Amino acid sequence: MTQKSSKKRTPDVIDVVVKKSLSELPDEEVRDEIILEDAKEQENHPKPEEDSEGQAKWDPVSTALTPTTTLSRYLAEVRRYPFLSKEEELQLFHEYQTLGTRESAVKLILANLRVCVSIASEYGLAGIDQMDLIQEGNVGLLQAMKKFDPTKNVRFYAYAAWWVRAFVLRYLLNNFRLVKIGTTQEQRRLFYNLRREKAKLERQGYVPDPKLLADRLNVRERDVVEMDQRLGSWELSLDQPMTSEGEGTFHDLLPSTQAPIDDQLADTQLRLLFRKKLAEFAQTLSEREEDILRNRLLSESPVTLEDLGRKYMITKERTRQLEAKIIKKLRELMKKDIQDFEHLRK
């Protein structure tokens, strides 16, 4: 039984190469070296055999170690698809963007699924299921397919890494807590960088106090304190029992949002008194003034001054003066007969 050549790139080696290329992505010289190195490796990498229809035949998944979890089965499936060379990549994108060939898009996606796995593994300690992070990264990979421009002379996996990471970070931000915490740009910056910056300052021998962290991250000091408290604590259910016997819940400790019952009763009586005095006041007015009071001051859809003036054959200004006179008389009456009239206005 012959052994396979040791020069063949294993899936683990490919994952390391991808991770290295992603971490050094902003450096154009390093990126070019990685692309050249990858092209040389692809020349030595055996191509999959093709069937009679020209479709690639992939080697079956090894059954030496049977996957036992959904994640391990997914990783085993992903490793079946090798990376594409630059020439193959450009050819598939030409077919996808000009001819709309679905098979070309599928090959491009399958060949770059390990980019999502590599980036999602960096956030494995965030308390989120690894498969959820990978699938969210796959959505970012699909978005990168729509936005990629092959004429920019950049490998697709290098470009897609930015979209994958953006979708993974957005998913973490939206699901890190039941109550969303990244509602502003400053909060998002703190969410992504606060712990990393604290660890960096500690390695340098500094005490990561809120003021120093705020200066480093260009945010307010109180935002640093608030985000540090949020990241260091977890949500607490208000329905959780306060004792082991199950007596009482934390919801019982919250202050009531309703006004005290005596205040509610006093407010109700005050409003009833106001309505009674208002009815008595309306009886002291002339027919024209009562019409202005009911249809102009007390109506939910008040009549305009112009319509009232036309009805009583007076000018618009005269109608406004009558309205102001009624309001003044009503205010004086209420202040005289209702002691808490100002409280009612609030």
Side-chain angles (χ1 to χ4, degrees), residues 176-216:
F176 190 75
R177 289 286 188 273
L178 291 176
V179 180
K180 190 174 181 180
I181 60 179
T183 56
T184 64
Q185 183 177 358
E186 290 76 14
Q187 288 182 355
R188 288 191 291 270
R189 185 183 299 119
L190 286 170
F191 177 80
Y192 296 137
N193 301 317
L194 181 58
R195 290 180 176 176
R196 182 174 59 185
E197 191 65 29
K198 288 177 66 175
K200 180 180 178 181
L201 290 174
E202 289 175 351
R203 289 195 302 268
Q204 295 175 353
Y206 295 98
V207 178
D209 60 295
K211 186 177 185 308
L212 181 59
L213 288 169
D215 294 339
R216 288 291 191 96

Side-chain angles (χ1 to χ4, degrees), residues 135-154:
Q135 296 306 326
E136 195 67 23
N138 290 343
V139 177
L141 186 62
L142 295 175
Q143 183 68 14
M145 281 283 299
K146 301 177 183 178
K147 302 291 185 178
F148 183 67
D149 185 0
T151 62
K152 298 297 184 180
N153 196 27
V154 177

Side-chain angles (χ1 to χ4, degrees), residues 13-230:
V13 174
I14 295 176
D15 291 341
V16 172
V17 172
V18 174
K19 194 169 183 180
K20 176 182 177 183
S21 63
L22 295 179
S23 63
E24 299 177 354
L25 182 59
D27 194 333
E28 295 185 357
E29 295 182 358
V30 175
R31 185 199 67 200
D32 295 338
E33 293 179 2
I34 293 174
I35 293 175
L36 292 175
E37 179 182 354
D38 185 74
K40 293 178 181 179
E41 292 288 346
Q42 290 290 346
E43 292 178 358
N44 299 327
H45 187 68
K47 300 292 183 180
E49 298 180 358
E50 295 185 353
D51 55 16
S52 58
E53 297 180 356
Q55 299 293 331
K57 291 183 178 180
W58 307 105
D59 295 334
V61 180
S62 174
T63 58
L65 295 176
T66 304
T68 57
T69 64
T70 303
L71 177 60
S72 59
R73 288 196 295 269
Y74 179 81
L75 295 179
E77 180 69 19
V78 165
R79 291 190 179 102
R80 296 176 56 192
Y81 307 102
F83 282 121
L84 301 171
S85 66
K86 186 175 182 179
E87 292 74 18
E88 292 174 329
E89 193 175 273
L90 292 175
Q91 178 62 27
L92 290 174
F93 263 107
H94 174 73
E95 296 176 359
Y96 168 65
Q97 294 179 345
T98 60
L99 305 178
T101 307
R102 181 178 180 275
E103 290 74 13
S104 301
V106 171
K107 289 182 180 180
L108 286 166
I109 292 297
L110 293 177
N112 290 276
L113 287 176
R114 273 171 289 185
V115 176
C116 304
V117 175
S118 177
I119 294 178
S121 65
E122 299 177 14
Y123 305 94
L125 300 179
I128 306 294
D129 184 75
Q130 192 76 1
M131 281 301 300
D132 290 341
L133 295 178
I134 293 174
Q135 296 306 326
E136 195 67 23
N138 290 343
V139 177
L141 186 62
L142 295 175
Q143 183 68 14
M145 281 283 299
K146 301 177 183 178
K147 302 291 185 178
F148 183 67
D149 185 0
T151 62
K152 298 297 184 180
N153 196 27
V154 177
R155 293 298 301 273
F156 175 65
Y157 68 81
Y159 173 80
W162 297 101
W163 282 99
V164 171
R165 190 179 301 277
F167 273 72
V168 170
L169 290 176
R170 187 185 66 174
Y171 181 81
L172 283 173
L173 184 63
N174 293 335
N175 295 273
F176 190 75
R177 289 286 188 273
L178 291 176
V179 180
K180 190 174 181 180
I181 60 179
T183 56
T184 64
Q185 183 177 358
E186 290 76 14
Q187 288 182 355
R188 288 191 291 270
R189 185 183 299 119
L190 286 170
F191 177 80
Y192 296 137
N193 301 317
L194 181 58
R195 290 180 176 176
R196 182 174 59 185
E197 191 65 29
K198 288 177 66 175
K200 180 180 178 181
L201 290 174
E202 289 175 351
R203 289 195 302 268
Q204 295 175 353
Y206 295 98
V207 178
D209 60 295
K211 186 177 185 308
L212 181 59
L213 288 169
D215 294 339
R216 288 291 191 96
L217 297 174
N218 194 26
V219 295
R220 295 177 298 182
E221 184 175 348
R222 65 179 183 180
D223 291 338
V224 174
V225 175
E226 181 181 355
M227 182 59 66
D228 191 37
Q229 292 174 348
R230 289 186 174 185

